[in-house]
């Protein structure tokens, strides 16, 4: 498929914005084709790729749309909503895991990589959904969860049978440390703790060894040192790529190479950093790239926990042949103090993150822009003002303006295009998330946290906030299901926040998103342009440019809920207002002092 820039670029325009072509003009690959040897078009020094230009929309299938009344979202539900996504303007859908799973971690524990989760449908439903996506000229990436499987995967069921089983080495088994006082006579092999609380080792009585699980007990870690494991993974990747998917979001991918010898963590050592920088990580990813990814016109985005900015180039640098891009959480999780504890957002700190990214990542790297996903609370509740419907809508529009105009491939999480908010949780039993339930069983039980503290923390920052059903309309259960119950509670504010009302209202958050996406698509400066923060220390206003040569945009975001008379620095004038979240402009073209209203966002062409 031709990308929009290739269609739009006249020779003169190309020259003006710094596009050059290396070798012959590239013949663009279709979504399914094996990547041909081709020349590379450069825009502002960056190689051009469809996945750099994409706006990606993440679907958490369990919570998106139920089609059969069982209260659980499914693939036919997604197919029904494809026109909604198409008219929003997104190009790529990232589908959270849709594979067969006992759902200890809602699909991030896979039992069969080649089967669709029963609650979500059958393979024919997947094929129909994929065909519907392609028909609308969108693409699909799926979740590759291969640091671990479910303990119900047949590999693990074999592996745990005996120490000599052919699948034994598919997982990480170790002897415990003898201790006559320990429950089974052994302490775990080392002091690793799981992301979901407690030891990362589970005793298995049949063979009297422990297996490693960095996540839940039901998520044993695969042993990537075993070449057979790697070939199994490459084979399942080919299975889905050959079906026509366009790539993968790769779950906790830096964790696949474990530290040599698995020594104890030393006091104060950063476990995630250690695990993310295993000795064979890059070798494994390069092998995966060589054997699979390089043969398709795909994109790959790694969930790069534990990778700091300086280490990003190792994974995404073009000469590295590993991944297209990664999620770095420096911005989205800014102020994190561990667990559910966060400092309030301090705008200069956030700006410093984006400047650091623009400085450290070069033209051969690529970035991502996102503020939410299925593991995070709702961004408008986190960083916006939800005290009135008006401020909530303006906050949502402002945050989406930022996501869609910063550097990198842009990601929206389902419901953010409507400004969906956190749910008003009041009881531990209301939470579905294994992270909350395990903290209750460990930290609250051990008196490290009170029940009220856990509820307050999870209500503000817990993952269930992102997983309440999509709010489609004002009918019962927000149009998510025709059944009587839903697997997660529906936010009662669906009567005020829902897609049907917003699609009808030209001033809605939904339509504003549509406009920003269209504006982003209209000029390569938003994709390949340079980034400059023009007022890094201002605590209320975020002011930056995206530009390629003469094509320059000025983005102004009032993060406060107060009106501000803001004099632009360096004698800058605000020239041609392209888009704003308030309907009318309060300042004339060329103004140097702007009268910004609460949570106002504007984009000028300068
Ligand atoms: C990261 C995923 O985003 C999260 O939802 C999951 O619980 C863990 N990886 C384990 O797969
Ligand atoms: Ca269903």
């Amino acid at each position: 498929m031709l990308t929009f820039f290739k269609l739009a670029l006249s020779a003169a325009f190309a020259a003006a914005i710094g596009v050059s072509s290396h070798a012959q003009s590239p013949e663009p690959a279709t979504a399914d084709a094996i990547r041909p040897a081709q020349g590379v078009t450069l825009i502002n020094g960056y190689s051009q790729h469809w996945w750099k230009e994409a706006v990606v929309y993440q679907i958490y299938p369990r919570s998106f749309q139920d089609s059969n009344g069982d209260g659980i979202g499914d693939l036919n539900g997604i197919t029904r909503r494809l026109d909604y996504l198409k008219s929003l303007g997104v190009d790529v859908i990232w589908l959270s895991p849709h594979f067969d799973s006992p759902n200890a971690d809602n699909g991030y524990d896979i039992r069969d990589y080649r089967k669709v989760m029963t609650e979500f449908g059958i393979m024919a439903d997947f094929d129909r959904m994929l065909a519907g996506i392609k028909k609308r000229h969108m693409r699909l990436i799926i979740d590759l969860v291969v640091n671990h499987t479910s303990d119900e995967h047949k590999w693990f069921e074999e592996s745990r049978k005996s120490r000599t089983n052919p699948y034994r080495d598919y997982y990480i088994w170790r002897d415990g440390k003898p201790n006559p006082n320990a429950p089974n006579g052994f302490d775990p092999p080392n002091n690793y703790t799981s992301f979901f609380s407690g030891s990362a080792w589970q005793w298995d009585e049949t063979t009297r060894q422990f297996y490693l699980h960095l996540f839940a007990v039901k998520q044993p870690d695969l042993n990537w040192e075993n070449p057979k494991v790697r070939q199994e993974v490459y084979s399942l990747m080919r299975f889905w790529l050959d079906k026509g998917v366009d790539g993968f979001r790769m779950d906790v991918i830096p964790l696949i190479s474990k530290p040599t010898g698995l020594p104890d963590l030393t006091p104060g050592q950063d476990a995630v950093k250690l695990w993310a920088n295993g000795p064979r990580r890059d070798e494994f990813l390069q092998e995966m790239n060589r054997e699979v990814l390089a043969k398709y016109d795909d994109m790959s985005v790694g969930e790069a926990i534990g990778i700091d900015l300086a280490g990003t180039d190792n994974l995404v640098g073009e000469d590295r042949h590993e991944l297209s891009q990664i999620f770095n959480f420096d911005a989205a999780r800014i102020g994190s103090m561990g667990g559910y504890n966060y400092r309030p957002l301090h705008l200069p700190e956030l700006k410093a993150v984006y400047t650091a990214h623009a400085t450290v990542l070069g033209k051969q790297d690529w970035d991502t822009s996102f503020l939410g996903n299925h593991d995070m609370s709702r961004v408008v509740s986190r960083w916006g003002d939800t005290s009135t419907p008006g401020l909530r809508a303006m906050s949502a529009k402002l945050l989406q303006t930022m996501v869609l105009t910063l550097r990198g491939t842009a990601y929206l999480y389902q419901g953010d295009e409507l400004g969906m908010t956190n749910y008003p949780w009041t009881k531990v039993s209301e939470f579905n998330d294994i992270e909350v339930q395990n903290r209750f069983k460990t930290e609250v039980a051990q008196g490290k946290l009170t029940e009220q503290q856990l509820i307050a923390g999870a209500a503000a920052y817990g993952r269930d906030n992102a997983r309440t059903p999509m709010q489609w309309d004002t009918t019962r259960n927000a149009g998510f299901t025709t059944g009587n119950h839903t697997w997660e509670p529906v936010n009662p504010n669906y009567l005020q926040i829902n897609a049907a009302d917003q699609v009808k209202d030209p001033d809605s958050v939904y339509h504003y998103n549509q406009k920003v996406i269209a504006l982003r698509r209209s000029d390569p400066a938003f994709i390949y342009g340079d980034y400059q923060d023009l007022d890094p220390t201002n605590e209320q206003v975020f002011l930056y440019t995206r530009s390629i040569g003469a094509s320059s945009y000025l983005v102004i975001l009032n993060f406060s809920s107060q009106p501000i008379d803001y004099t632009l620095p360096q004698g800058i004038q605000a020239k041609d207002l392209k888009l704003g979240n308030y309907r009318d402009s309060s300042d004339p073209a060329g103004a140097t002092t702007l009268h910004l209203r609460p949570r106002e966002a504007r984009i000028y062409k300068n």
Side-chain angles (χ1 to χ4, degrees):
M1 187 202 295
L2 285 174
T3 60
F4 68 93
F5 289 140
K6 282 188 186 128
L7 279 171
L9 286 175
S10 71
F13 180 53
I17 61 167
V19 176
S20 56
S21 191
H22 283 206
Q24 308 84 14
S25 117
E27 199 40 58
T30 63
D32 305 335
I34 302 287
R35 182 186 289 163
Q38 60 176 29
V40 179
T41 301
L42 291 184
I43 304 182
N44 192 28
Y46 292 95
S47 62
Q48 184 187 24
H49 291 285
W50 62 263
W51 44 263
K52 293 185 176 177
E53 297 162 11
V55 175
V56 185
Y57 184 96
Q58 183 189 354
I59 291 181
Y60 195 69
R62 225 177 169 70
S63 308
F64 193 63
Q65 174 69 67
D66 178 21
S67 71
N68 64 351
D70 66 356
I72 298 174
D74 45 52
L75 301 185
N76 287 340
I78 296 172
T79 304
R80 209 162 97 197
R81 296 295 184 179
L82 291 177
D83 284 332
Y84 168 86
L85 297 176
K86 181 67 189 170
S87 59
L88 178 59
V90 299
D91 336 73
V92 176
I93 293 169
W94 152 23
L95 186 65
S96 274
H98 65 281
F99 315 94
D100 178 45
S101 163
N103 286 306
D105 188 19
N106 286 335
Y108 283 91
D109 48 319
I110 296 172
R111 184 165 47 202
D112 184 343
Y113 289 97
R114 289 177 172 79
K115 187 169 173 239
V116 170
M117 191 189 297
T118 314
E119 295 96 313
F120 292 174
I122 56 174
M123 196 60 94
D125 300 327
F126 181 89
D127 293 341
R128 206 167 28 247
M129 178 189 73
L130 181 58
I133 291 170
K134 302 261 163 178
K135 194 176 114 201
R136 289 167 180 81
H137 305 292
M138 296 189 289
R139 304 189 198 232
L140 177 68
I141 63 172
I142 59 174
D143 228 299
L144 184 74
V145 188
V146 289
N147 172 68
H148 45 268
T149 68
S150 164
D151 65 342
E152 297 183 27
H153 193 290
K154 69 173 190 313
W155 301 333
F156 191 74
E157 288 185 338
E158 286 298 316
S159 185
R160 76 192 324 178
K161 280 184 184 162
S162 75
R163 294 192 184 199
T164 53
N165 188 285
Y167 288 89
R168 185 66 171 179
D169 282 346
Y170 272 46
Y171 295 87
I172 300 169
W173 293 96
R174 292 288 183 277
D175 288 332
K177 293 182 185 157
N179 173 0
N181 302 319
N184 301 293
F186 293 94
D187 281 331
N190 74 15
N191 64 1
Y192 288 3
T193 52
S194 131
F195 283 96
F196 293 151
S197 312
S199 170
W201 294 96
Q202 178 68 17
W203 173 257
D204 207 43
E205 186 54 35
T206 314
T207 54
R208 299 186 61 77
Q209 279 192 316
F210 289 83
Y211 67 84
L212 180 71
H213 62 90
L214 293 182
F215 293 88
V217 171
K218 283 182 71 63
Q219 291 169 300
D221 280 53
L222 281 166
N223 175 20
W224 275 68
E225 300 288 328
N226 181 347
K228 285 193 202 138
V229 166
R230 306 205 295 276
Q231 288 306 323
E232 299 267 20
V233 170
Y234 305 154
S235 155
L236 76 90
M237 290 172 75
R238 285 185 210 107
F239 172 83
W240 289 101
L241 286 164
D242 290 341
K243 232 177 205 310
V245 310
D246 299 290
F248 303 97
R249 175 268 186 185
M250 299 187 181
D251 193 68
V252 296
I253 198 70
L255 306 189
I256 55 179
S257 164
K258 307 299 187 227
T260 313
L262 300 175
D264 273 334
L265 292 165
T266 53
Q269 187 170 16
D270 183 334
V272 186
K273 227 174 174 167
L274 174 78
W275 297 338
N277 290 289
R280 300 185 69 189
R281 181 198 66 204
D282 297 305
E283 177 198 332
F284 293 159
L285 289 177
Q286 283 165 10
E287 182 183 80
M288 176 196 279
N289 189 297
R290 211 169 42 244
E291 297 211 10
V292 187
L293 299 176
K295 301 190 168 137
Y296 298 81
D297 181 25
D298 63 289
M299 72 174 269
S300 50
V301 50
E303 187 203 23
I305 59 169
I307 302 295
D308 59 17
L309 183 55
T312 300
D313 175 72
N314 286 335
L315 293 159
V316 307
E318 281 181 12
D319 59 347
R320 301 284 300 167
H321 304 289
E322 295 189 18
L323 305 177
S324 317
Q325 47 188 280
I326 61 168
F327 294 124
N328 166 301
F329 291 88
D330 290 353
R333 291 208 185 271
I334 199 161
S336 167
M337 299 188 293
Y340 294 129
N341 302 312
Y342 283 80
R343 294 189 305 275
L345 177 67
H346 182 52
L347 193 54
E349 216 184 309
L350 180 68
K351 297 175 183 182
V353 169
Y354 293 127
T355 296
H357 276 236
T359 313
V360 173
L361 300 182
K363 302 252 165 167
Q364 70 142 359
D365 302 314
W366 196 249
D367 212 345
T368 50
S369 172
F370 69 99
L371 295 176
N373 65 25
H374 65 291
D375 291 332
M376 305 186 71
S377 58
R378 289 284 175 181
V379 64
V380 70
S381 299
R382 214 176 332 129
W383 288 0
D385 183 340
T386 54
S387 62
T388 69
L391 284 168
R392 176 188 31 77
M394 287 306 173
S395 302
K397 292 173 180 174
L398 173 142
L399 292 165
Q400 300 294 78
T401 308
M402 186 172 91
V403 168
L404 289 161
T405 58
L406 283 171
R407 292 168 76 251
T409 299
Y411 288 78
L412 305 185
Y413 180 71
Q414 69 183 36
D416 285 350
E417 77 279 16
L418 306 175
M420 276 178 63
T421 64
N422 284 355
Y423 179 87
W425 312 94
T426 54
K427 292 194 286 280
V428 171
S429 60
E430 284 174 318
F431 292 94
N432 170 281
D433 185 4
I434 188 168
E435 184 174 350
V436 181
Q437 295 304 334
N438 280 3
R439 277 200 183 157
F440 184 65
K441 285 186 226 147
T442 53
E443 290 167 48
V444 174
Q446 294 155 8
K448 290 186 190 153
L449 209 61
T450 66
E451 186 171 338
Q452 279 319 310
Q453 282 168 331
L454 177 66
I455 295 169
Y461 294 104
R463 311 194 297 176
D464 280 304
N465 286 301
R467 304 175 182 185
T468 64
M470 263 295 275
Q471 295 167 203
W472 291 107
D473 57 39
T474 56
T475 63
R476 201 165 58 113
N477 288 323
F480 167 68
T481 181
T482 53
N484 294 330
H485 74 282
T486 58
W487 79 276
E488 279 263 41
V490 174
N491 195 314
N493 67 15
Y494 75 94
L495 294 171
Q496 292 80 45
I497 305 173
N498 64 74
D501 285 353
Q502 295 202 20
V503 166
K504 273 186 248 145
D505 173 6
D507 282 336
S508 65
V509 179
Y510 174 85
H511 279 293
Y512 183 76
N513 270 287
Q514 204 180 38
K515 286 181 204 149
V516 191
I517 292 172
L519 179 62
R520 173 187 166 90
R521 206 180 286 296
S522 72
D523 197 315
F526 288 113
I527 317 280
Y528 299 102
D530 297 329
Y531 166 85
Q532 202 186 351
D533 178 355
L534 299 178
D535 195 358
T537 55
N538 194 302
E539 299 194 355
Q540 274 100 31
V541 179
F542 193 2
L543 178 76
Y544 56 89
T545 50
R546 295 299 311 282
S547 36
I548 302 181
S551 194
S552 184
Y553 290 85
L554 186 67
V555 181
I556 304 167
L557 309 170
N558 176 9
F559 264 75
S560 85
S561 296
Q562 316 306 322
I564 294 180
D565 289 341
Y566 180 65
T567 300
L568 292 163
Q570 304 162 26
I572 294 169
Q573 296 181 315
K575 292 186 184 151
D576 178 11
L577 182 64
K578 288 289 175 197
L579 191 60
N581 59 353
Y582 281 76
R583 220 177 321 166
D584 54 327
S585 161
S586 54
D587 298 303
T592 53
T593 295
L594 305 179
H595 302 89
L596 299 176
R597 291 157 286 189
R599 306 274 166 176
E600 183 160 8
R602 299 185 196 173
I603 305 173
Y604 287 90
K605 177 115 203 248
N606 255 23

